[in-house]
Amino acid sequence: MSRSLRRPLSAALALAAVLPLAATARAVAPAAPLTASAAQARIHAAYDLPDDRAYPEGIAEDPRTGDLYVGSYSTGAVYRITPGHRTARVFLPAGTDGRATANGLKVDRAGRLWVTDSTAGVAVYDIRDRRLLARFDITGGEKSFVNDLAIAPDGSAYLTDSARAVIYRVTPQQLAHATAAGGRGTLTPRFDLTGALAPHAPGTYTLNGIVADPSGRFLLTVDMTAGDLYRVGLASGEIRRVALSGGDMAAADGLELRHGTLWAAHNTRNAVSRWRLSADGTRARRERQVADASLQIPTTLVRQAGRLLVVRSQFDKGGPMGPGTPQTPFSVAAVDGI
């Protein structure tokens, strides 16, 4: 068993924290009957991962090449999938640079791969030579769980902390300074959502997936426990709850935003949902949801070439969410019809 799977459950179960919804947050309205089965929306394995203990969590696309990068929650490895190949290859081996996990992943316009480690912070690599450019670390003794990230149009990275309910920011200037100064920096909060979130018990994990509006006006981030979606104004700092209709964001993990359409992976619900977002990002209407056990605890997703690619974590099969034996090889699924 990998060292990350031996960590205390309080740190390892950020995803499982969505289960006791009634006890930790206000009730959310029942979802409208827009759920489709796998028979209506085809779900099939698109790519295989090479490690039988991968327990993948994050995925990112390099828009310049079409390459995909998938991170392992259990080992910290990062795999690369290249166009025309079914099986991923190891890009960064397990434990690279002392990393225990690889959660959220993103590739920026400069060809840099950002990899979050829930236990430490975020590392930034030059994709061309796999060189570590900089690390930004969490400081202080307060409990933290760095989860997902988004890259804004100005090149700034924004990262959610599920335990602290804050969003960190790393600007291009901070990255350049850290790279030039020995490759180390500190993660500092830019937005604090503590006062905006629905009431929840101490120690509850909240913020998870995050996306940036392509125009650079706002961020969207999900409170996976309460089932809420929040809009954060990048210039004003205004934090407001998005008005959801037709469903909720309970158990929502990774998010994807393209041309006014928002997709969400709901991990413990074994579901993927599609939403129509208003132009100003203040309202979202659920258009469709696909729920099926074959999604195998989906943690995040990416839209590529007109299809939705979903990470199947299998966290409940011998991973951080329960005992059992996973189906191997671990895979990234394509979900057609949503």
Side-chain angles (χ1 to χ4, degrees):
M1 182 178 290
S2 70
R3 56 184 170 180
S4 65
L5 294 182
R6 291 197 297 264
R7 287 175 297 162
L9 288 181
S10 60
L13 295 185
L15 295 169
V18 301
L19 291 173
L21 285 174
T24 59
R26 65 174 177 79
V28 291
L34 297 172
T35 300
S37 69
Q40 296 168 295
R42 183 168 173 252
I43 301 171
H44 58 97
Y47 302 107
D48 297 332
L49 303 180
D51 184 359
D52 63 4
R53 300 293 294 175
Y55 294 103
E57 208 280 346
I59 188 170
E61 180 193 20
D62 184 344
R64 306 166 309 156
T65 63
D67 291 349
L68 296 167
Y69 296 86
V70 180
S72 168
Y73 182 84
S74 63
T75 71
V78 176
Y79 312 105
R80 178 162 65 184
I81 301 167
T82 55
H85 294 82
R86 168 67 182 248
T87 302
R89 296 183 179 181
V90 174
F91 180 74
L92 297 172
T96 297
D97 300 309
R99 184 172 48 255
T101 68
N103 292 11
L105 304 176
K106 280 293 182 293
V107 178
D108 65 22
R109 294 178 180 176
R112 295 177 295 234
L113 175 66
W114 297 67
V115 183
T116 66
D117 179 343
S118 63
T119 65
V122 64
V124 188
Y125 292 89
D126 187 325
I127 285 178
R128 294 170 299 178
D129 56 12
R130 311 184 194 198
R131 177 170 52 96
L132 177 65
L133 299 174
R135 287 183 54 153
F136 293 85
D137 301 316
I138 294 291
T139 59
E142 186 181 355
K143 181 180 178 180
S144 66
F145 194 99
V146 184
N147 206 325
D148 205 357
L149 77 157
I151 307 293
D154 70 352
S156 295
Y158 291 90
L159 304 95
T160 56
D161 191 316
S162 300
R164 298 184 182 182
V166 300
I167 298 174
Y168 305 105
R169 181 180 66 176
V170 179
T171 67
Q173 294 76 21
Q174 289 171 322
L175 176 57
H177 177 76
T179 302
R184 299 307 288 261
T186 299
L187 279 181
T188 55
R190 175 65 181 90
F191 303 107
D192 188 339
L193 279 72
T194 304
L197 300 183
H200 55 271
T204 300
Y205 287 93
T206 54
L207 302 185
N208 198 329
I210 186 170
V211 290
D213 166 48
S215 70
R217 294 172 297 162
F218 57 84
L219 304 169
L220 295 174
T221 187
V222 66
D223 176 353
M224 61 181 173
T225 300
D228 292 326
L229 183 68
Y230 287 88
R231 181 193 188 277
V232 181
L234 286 174
S236 67
E238 179 190 27
I239 299 168
R240 61 186 297 180
R241 186 158 53 91
V242 176
L244 301 179
S245 61
D248 60 67
M249 287 283 182
D253 201 324
L255 302 176
E256 174 81 336
L257 178 62
R258 296 286 183 94
H259 309 295
T261 298
L262 179 69
W263 290 269
H266 302 257
N267 48 56
T268 56
R269 283 186 168 183
N270 277 323
V272 174
S273 61
R274 185 186 74 212
W275 303 73
R276 173 53 57 182
L277 186 70
S278 65
D280 61 1
T282 62
R283 303 179 309 281
R285 175 176 54 86
R286 199 182 80 176
E287 296 180 323
R288 195 174 187 209
Q289 177 168 291
V290 173
D292 194 90
S294 67
L295 288 170
Q296 299 177 328
I297 313 294
T299 49
T300 194
L301 35 73
V302 67
R303 187 80 173 174
Q304 185 186 58
R307 65 177 181 168
L308 201 64
L309 299 174
V310 181
V311 174
R312 301 200 279 195
S313 74
Q314 298 193 74
F315 279 0
D316 61 337
K317 299 294 190 298
M321 288 174 61
T325 303
Q327 175 185 327
T328 55
F330 284 91
S331 64
V332 175
V335 181
D336 303 322
I338 191 169

